[in-house]
């Protein structure tokens, strides 16, 4: 008989309700497996019936999309449980009285707070019990190409204490858990273990002030994103090319590289994530691969655009391997090259100087876009755009300002904000020519130039 409270939760919140019923089923499986284990497995193990979920729930959609069978669902439920209802795992805390320690067959790791974290060993125990053959057959669920790993995102988090693959904790990133619980697409926050930030802007494509030839090149990128199914499928080029597209943006700071990447996402309705390379390069061996692996996996799953800013920090000319640190740095670069090469999404690398990119890597780009400092005509458009709703004094001559001062779009935006603050500090109702002159001088000093 269905629990009326659970039915109410499922009806009102199909996503959370599906997770709740799946974890309830997990609890039944744990109790049944432990009972069978302690009775010496003399009786056949009978698995509790699988719960049925709302077809519209995020969990059921994932189960259907990735064709998860009973054992795969059991592993996924184990990975979710510590985040949602860790009490389901409490039965594993039982100790072997003969040696006064937990049963090694159960796997698992106990946290400092006393919570039980299931490992791959825990999953194998629930699936196979003491049967060696069944355990070997179940190991396939932890292969890198299994949908649980590359689709759902279940990972094996090896700590220092876990020497073997199956001693690794079942890990499911919190943003994936939230997505399964509330049905929203996962949009992880910037954090040490997810060194990428989603870029957004209130501006639109028409606000992008760039030379005609650059806009034409960018149109090539959007055309690929909108038509690649036809190009690869109907036109048959999928035999030679993958879905990925690699672009290089190079040019001085403030010329619109980041804004352009953000607007490409907005125009194609794709999320854009900027990779913080300073956080990606970790001093711990393997952390770079782990952090970047999650980002690339999510990009493939959700069709993100990946934007590597200041990419020459990692993609410049290779260093000589004179020390172990150099070897590890080159290994990280090689890993990045491989993941970018294999990425099925749009990857944009940005650098201030084209010469900073290794020629061997440069050839891998499908397109390179050189962003230049705006000429006086474009500078005037930029000034008029940024001050379009701002009251200005009659003596403000934007055409003359644009002609006299070689500023990038980023510097013009900064100067406009600086001038607005100056005007309001003197309780003026408009920006004066003097306010703009002071703001421009400030920007030129920041760039190491003088008027």
């Amino acid at each position: 008989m269905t629990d009326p409270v659970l039915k109410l939760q499922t009806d009102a919140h199909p996503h959370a309700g599906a997770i709740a019923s799946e974890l309830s089923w997990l609890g039944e499986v744990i109790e049944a497996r432990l009972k069978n284990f302690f009775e010496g497995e003399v009786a056949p193990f009978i698995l509790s019936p699988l719960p049925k979920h709302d077809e519209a729930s995020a969990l059921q959609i994932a189960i259907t999309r990735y064709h998860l069978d009973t054992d795969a669902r059991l592993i996924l439920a184990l990975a979710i449980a510590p985040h949602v209802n860790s009490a389901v795992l409490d039965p594993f805390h039982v100790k072997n009285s003969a040696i006064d320690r937990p049963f090694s067959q159960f796997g698992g790791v106990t946290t400092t707070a006393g919570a039980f974290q299931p490992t791959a060993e825990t999953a194998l125990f629930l699936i196979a019990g003491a049967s060696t053959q069944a355990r070997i057959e179940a190991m396939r669920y932890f292969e890198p190409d299994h949908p649980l790993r590359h689709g759902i995102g279940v990972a094996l988090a090896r700590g220092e204490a876990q020497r073997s693959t199956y001693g690794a904790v079942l890990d499911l990133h919190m943003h994936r858990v939230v997505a399964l619980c509330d049905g929203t697409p996962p949009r992880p926050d910037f954090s040490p273990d997810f060194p990428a930030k989603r870029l957004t802007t209130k501006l639109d494509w028409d606000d992008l002030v760039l030379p005609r030839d650059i806009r034409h090149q960018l149109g090539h990128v959007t055309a690929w994103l909108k038509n690649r199914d036809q190009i690869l499928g109907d036109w048959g080029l999928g035999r030679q090319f993958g879905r990925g597209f690699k672009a290089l943006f190079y040019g001085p700071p403030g010329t619109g590289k980041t804004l352009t990447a953000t607007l490409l996402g907005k125009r194609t309705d794709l999320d854009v994530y900027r990779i913080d390379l300073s956080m990606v390069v970790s001093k711990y061996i393997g952390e770079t691969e782990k952090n970047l692996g999650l980002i690339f996996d999510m990009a493939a799953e959700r069709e993100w655009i990946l934007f590597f800013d200041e990419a020459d920090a990692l993609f410049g000319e290779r260093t000589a391997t004179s020390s172990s640190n150099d070897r590890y740095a080159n290994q990280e670069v090689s890993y990045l090259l491989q993941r970018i090469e294999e990425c099925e999404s749009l990857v944009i690398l940005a650098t201030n100087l084209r010469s900073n990119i290794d020629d061997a890597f440069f050839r891998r780009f499908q397109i390179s876009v050189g962003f230049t400092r705006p000429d006086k005509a474009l500078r005037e458009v930029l000034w008029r755009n940024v001050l379009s709703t701002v009251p200005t004094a009659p003596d403000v001559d934007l055409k003359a300002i644009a002609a006299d001062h070689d500023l990038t779009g980023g510097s013009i935006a900064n100067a406009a904000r600086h001038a607005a603050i100056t005007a309001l500090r003197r309780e003026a109702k408009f920006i004066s020519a003097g306010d703009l002159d002071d703001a421009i001088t400030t920007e030129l000093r920041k760039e190491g130039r003088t008027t």
Side-chain angles (χ1 to χ4, degrees):
M1 181 176 179
T2 303
D3 185 337
V5 175
L6 179 58
K7 185 178 188 303
L8 179 61
Q9 291 176 341
T10 304
D11 291 343
H13 306 285
H15 309 294
I19 295 295
S21 60
E22 196 82 349
L23 293 184
S24 178
W25 168 69
L26 171 64
E28 294 173 3
V29 174
I30 292 172
E31 290 183 12
R33 176 58 77 185
L34 289 176
K35 183 174 184 288
N36 183 259
F37 173 78
F38 288 118
E39 290 178 353
E41 300 192 354
V42 293
F45 174 69
I46 301 175
L47 192 68
S48 300
L50 280 169
K52 294 182 179 180
H53 307 308
D54 188 319
E55 292 293 329
S57 66
L59 178 61
Q60 186 58 50
I61 291 172
I63 291 170
T64 302
R65 177 181 179 185
Y66 296 108
H67 307 288
L68 301 186
D69 60 16
T70 301
D71 293 341
R73 286 176 61 171
L74 191 59
I75 295 170
L76 177 57
L78 270 176
I80 294 171
H83 300 281
V84 178
N85 185 6
S86 59
V88 171
L89 305 172
D90 284 349
F92 284 118
H93 283 303
V94 64
K95 286 187 175 182
N96 186 335
S97 59
I99 55 177
D100 192 33
R101 70 179 187 186
F103 287 85
S104 59
Q105 296 95 324
F106 302 167
V109 174
T110 302
T111 67
T112 54
F116 181 90
Q117 286 190 306
T119 61
E121 182 76 27
T122 311
L124 293 176
F125 170 73
L126 287 182
I127 293 170
S131 171
T132 301
Q133 180 178 341
R135 289 169 68 87
I136 292 174
E137 291 174 355
M139 288 177 180
R140 64 186 178 87
Y141 292 102
F142 302 103
E143 294 295 326
D145 60 349
H146 193 278
L148 271 176
R149 300 287 301 277
H150 74 75
I152 301 292
V154 175
L156 297 178
R158 286 201 212 178
E160 293 182 1
Q162 286 80 54
R163 300 292 183 182
S164 69
T165 297
Y166 303 104
V169 171
L170 291 177
D171 185 33
L172 189 63
H173 201 277
M174 192 60 203
H175 70 265
R176 293 185 184 273
V177 176
V178 172
L180 289 171
C181 288
D182 65 13
T184 58
R187 283 177 170 169
D189 293 327
F190 181 85
S191 65
D193 61 345
F194 191 83
K197 180 178 178 59
R198 190 165 69 94
L199 298 179
T200 60
T201 181
K202 295 179 181 178
L203 298 176
D204 293 313
W205 191 257
D206 291 339
D207 296 312
L208 193 60
V209 180
L210 294 171
R212 184 183 298 274
D213 62 327
I214 294 180
R215 293 182 70 92
H216 175 74
Q217 289 179 288
L218 296 175
H220 208 71
V221 179
T222 58
W224 167 262
L225 292 174
K226 292 180 179 179
N227 301 290
R228 60 182 169 180
D229 288 338
Q230 180 179 355
I231 294 171
L232 298 175
D234 298 345
W235 291 9
L237 288 179
R239 293 176 299 173
Q240 283 83 25
F241 309 110
R243 293 177 60 82
F245 197 91
K246 286 73 180 176
L248 174 68
F249 288 0
Y250 63 93
T255 51
K257 298 185 295 293
T258 302
L259 176 60
T260 299
T262 309
L263 288 173
L264 279 172
K266 192 171 184 179
R267 193 175 197 192
T268 56
D269 199 27
L270 299 174
D271 286 336
V272 182
Y273 275 84
R274 176 185 180 273
I275 315 301
D276 188 333
L277 292 175
S278 65
M279 293 188 68
V280 164
V281 184
S282 171
K283 64 181 179 181
Y284 299 106
I285 302 171
E287 286 298 301
T288 296
E289 287 86 347
K290 176 185 174 183
N291 293 342
L292 278 172
L294 176 60
I295 294 170
F296 278 109
D297 290 345
M298 290 297 298
E301 178 186 339
R302 297 288 168 176
E303 285 285 350
W304 288 347
I305 295 174
L306 297 182
F307 178 70
F308 287 86
D309 200 6
E310 300 181 14
D312 45 306
L314 280 180
F315 299 98
E317 294 186 7
R318 311 294 182 87
T319 59
T321 55
S322 58
S323 68
S324 60
N325 287 339
D326 291 335
R327 286 193 295 273
Y328 293 138
N330 282 343
Q331 288 174 10
E332 290 170 345
V333 170
S334 297
Y335 174 80
L336 281 166
L337 292 175
Q338 177 187 343
R339 291 306 304 258
I340 288 177
E341 190 75 21
E342 297 171 351
C343 187
E344 296 282 279
S345 304
L346 170 60
V347 178
I348 301 171
L349 280 77
T351 178
N352 293 337
L353 294 173
R354 155 68 181 86
S355 58
N356 286 347
I357 298 294
D358 188 346
D359 284 338
F361 185 68
F362 184 80
R363 290 191 293 270
R364 304 187 188 201
F365 293 105
Q366 276 73 62
I367 194 170
S368 64
V369 182
F371 288 73
T372 57
R373 300 182 70 90
D375 59 21
K376 63 181 181 180
L378 289 179
R379 291 198 296 269
E380 182 179 351
V381 175
L382 287 164
W383 276 113
R384 294 193 184 282
N385 283 357
V386 75
L387 295 175
S388 61
T389 60
V390 179
T392 56
D395 62 342
V396 172
D397 186 346
L398 295 182
K399 185 172 184 177
I401 290 174
D404 294 342
H405 303 288
D406 177 19
L407 296 176
T408 64
S411 295
I412 288 172
N414 287 337
R417 176 166 51 185
H418 189 282
I421 294 171
T422 301
L424 290 174
R425 287 187 65 184
R426 60 183 179 82
E427 298 183 351
K429 295 183 178 180
F430 51 81
I431 290 176
S432 69
D435 297 329
L436 287 172
D437 286 341
D438 290 342
I440 291 169
T441 299
T442 299
E443 284 301 306
L444 292 173
R445 284 174 179 165
K446 283 164 57 178
E447 297 178 13
R449 297 190 289 159
T450 57
T451 55

